[in-house]
C-alpha cells in the first residue's frame, strides 16, 4: 500500500516560533488531509489539500502533488498548537485514508 | 465540532466480551468510515459503508463487523475481545463515496480491554 512518512517525528517550540512539518507519500493521491490530534484525542480536520496552497489563520499548507510531498506551516506558535499533527492520503481509486505516524509538537511558554 | 457523533466516549470491558460502537454521520452525509488508532499500528482504516452498503474493507479482523442502517448511522461490533483490541476507534463521514471528499472525524470511542 501507499507509504506516508512525516518529519520531524518530534518538535519542541518556544511560543511565538514558526515551524514546518513535512509529509512525503509514495504514490499519486486524490485526497490529502492534515489533522491535529489534541491532548484529548480528538482529530481536528485542518486542511483538505491534494494540491496547491491554503491558509487558515496562522496555519498554511502546500502540497506539490507531482513531487509527492506536502508541508504544513505553523506561524507564531501558541501552546494550544501542541499535539500530534497527522498527514493522511488516499491513493487514486478510493477514499481510504492512510495515515503517517504523526509529528508530535510541544509548544512551551 | 465536526458534526459526527460517536457513543460511548469510553468503554471498559473484559477479554472475551463483545461490544458495539455507534456512529452518527454529519447531516446529509451518506458514507461512513471506521478507523482504529492503537499504539502498535497507529491510525488505520477498517471499513467503509455508503448508503447502507459495504464499499471497502481495510485491515479489519474477522472478529469485527460493521453495518450501516437505513437512518445512516453505523455500528461497529467487536467480539471475542483481546487485550490488543484496546484502542481509540474513530468514525468519519463524507457526503459521497467519492475519492475527493473531505473526511470529518468524530470524537472517537476509547476502548479498554482488561
Amino acid at each position: 500500500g501507499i507509504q506516508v512518512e512525516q518529519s520531524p517525528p518530534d518538535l519542541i517550540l518556544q511560543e511565538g516560533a514558526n515551524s514546518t512539518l513535512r509529509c512525503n507519500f509514495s504514490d499519486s493521491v486524490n485526497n490529502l488531509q492534515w489533522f491535529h490530534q489534541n491532548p484529548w484525542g480528538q482529530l481536528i480536520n485542518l486542511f483538505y489539500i491534494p494540491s496547491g496552497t491554503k491558509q487558515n489563520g496562522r496555519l498554511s499548507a502546500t502540497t506539490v502533488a507531482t513531487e509527492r510531498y506536502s508541508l504544513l506551516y505553523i506561524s507564531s506558535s501558541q501552546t494550544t498548537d501542541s499535539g500530534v499533527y497527522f498527514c493522511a492520503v488516499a491513493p487514486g481509486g478510493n477514499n481510504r485514508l492512510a495515515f503517517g505516524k504523526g509529528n508530535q509538537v510541544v509548544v512551551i511558554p | 465540532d465536526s458534526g459526527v457523533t460517536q457513543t460511548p466516549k469510553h468503554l471498559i470491558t473484559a477479554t472475551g466480551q463483545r461490544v458495539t460502537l455507534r456512529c452518527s454521520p454529519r447531516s446529509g452525509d451518506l458514507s461512513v468510515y471506521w478507523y482504529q488508532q492503537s499504539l502498535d499500528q497507529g491510525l488505520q482504516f477498517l471499513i467503509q459503508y455508503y448508503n447502507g452498503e459495504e464499499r471497502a474493507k481495510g485491515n479489519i479482523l474477522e472478529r469485527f463487523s460493521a453495518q450501516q442502517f437505513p437512518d445512516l448511522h453505523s455500528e461497529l461490533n467487536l467480539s471475542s475481545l483481546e487485550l490488543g483490541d484496546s484502542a481509540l476507534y474513530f468514525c468519519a463521514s463524507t457526503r459521497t463515496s467519492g475519492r475527493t471528499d473531505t473526511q470529518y472525524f468524530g470524537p472517537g470511542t476509547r476502548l479498554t480491554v482488561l
Side-chain angles (χ1 to χ4, degrees):
Chain A
I2 193 167
Q3 303 300 311
V4 184
E5 291 185 5
Q6 293 186 241
S7 59
D10 300 286
L11 190 59
I12 299 176
L13 296 171
Q14 197 75 41
E15 199 169 24
N18 303 328
S19 65
T20 301
L21 310 179
R22 185 177 178 106
C23 170
N24 292 332
F25 43 96
S26 61
D27 205 347
S28 59
V29 298
N30 287 309
N31 185 348
L32 189 149
Q33 292 184 237
W34 281 98
F35 296 90
H36 176 218
Q37 187 166 39
N38 63 25
W40 296 271
Q42 286 185 300
L43 272 175
I44 311 298
N45 185 57
L46 297 176
F47 293 102
Y48 167 81
I49 187 164
S51 64
T53 297
K54 289 186 178 179
Q55 179 152 10
N56 185 1
R58 296 180 296 101
L59 300 180
S60 63
T62 295
T63 298
V64 183
T66 52
E67 297 188 21
R68 299 182 185 168
Y69 73 88
S70 183
L71 302 174
L72 179 69
Y73 305 95
I74 306 174
S75 65
S76 305
S77 57
Q78 300 177 359
T79 55
T80 51
D81 295 330
S82 296
V84 183
Y85 289 81
F86 286 101
C87 169
V89 302
N94 67 71
N95 203 17
R96 291 172 269 178
L97 290 175
F99 284 78
K101 292 186 177 178
N103 309 93
Q104 172 84 55
V105 173
V106 175
V107 181
I108 53 177
Chain B
D1 185 356
S2 67
V4 179
T5 60
Q6 289 186 249
T7 56
K9 285 195 173 122
H10 302 277
L11 200 47
I12 301 174
T13 187
T15 53
Q17 295 298 304
R18 172 189 169 96
V19 297
T20 298
L21 313 183
R22 182 187 169 107
C23 167
S24 293
R26 294 186 316 154
S27 176
D29 283 2
L30 298 176
S31 197
V32 169
Y33 305 76
W34 286 97
Y35 292 85
Q36 178 196 58
Q37 184 177 28
S38 66
L39 288 175
D40 292 344
Q41 303 291 330
L43 265 157
Q44 56 177 357
F45 167 77
L46 295 178
I47 197 164
Q48 177 200 0
Y49 278 81
Y50 174 74
N51 205 19
E53 295 196 359
E54 182 185 304
R55 274 299 170 102
K57 251 183 177 176
N59 297 325
I60 188 165
L61 299 172
E62 284 193 14
R63 300 183 285 107
F64 295 2
S65 64
Q67 53 184 327
Q68 186 179 26
F69 294 86
D71 67 353
L72 300 176
H73 91 272
S74 178
E75 292 181 358
L76 180 67
N77 300 296
L78 315 177
S79 61
S80 303
L81 285 167
E82 302 175 0
L83 295 177
D85 298 328
S86 295
L88 196 47
Y89 291 85
F90 290 102
C91 85
S93 73
T94 59
R95 191 78 48 176
T96 71
S97 69
R99 296 168 294 172
T100 58
D101 263 344
T102 302
Q103 291 189 30
Y104 293 92
F105 279 68
T109 293
R110 189 174 296 277
L111 173 66
T112 303
V113 182
L114 300 175

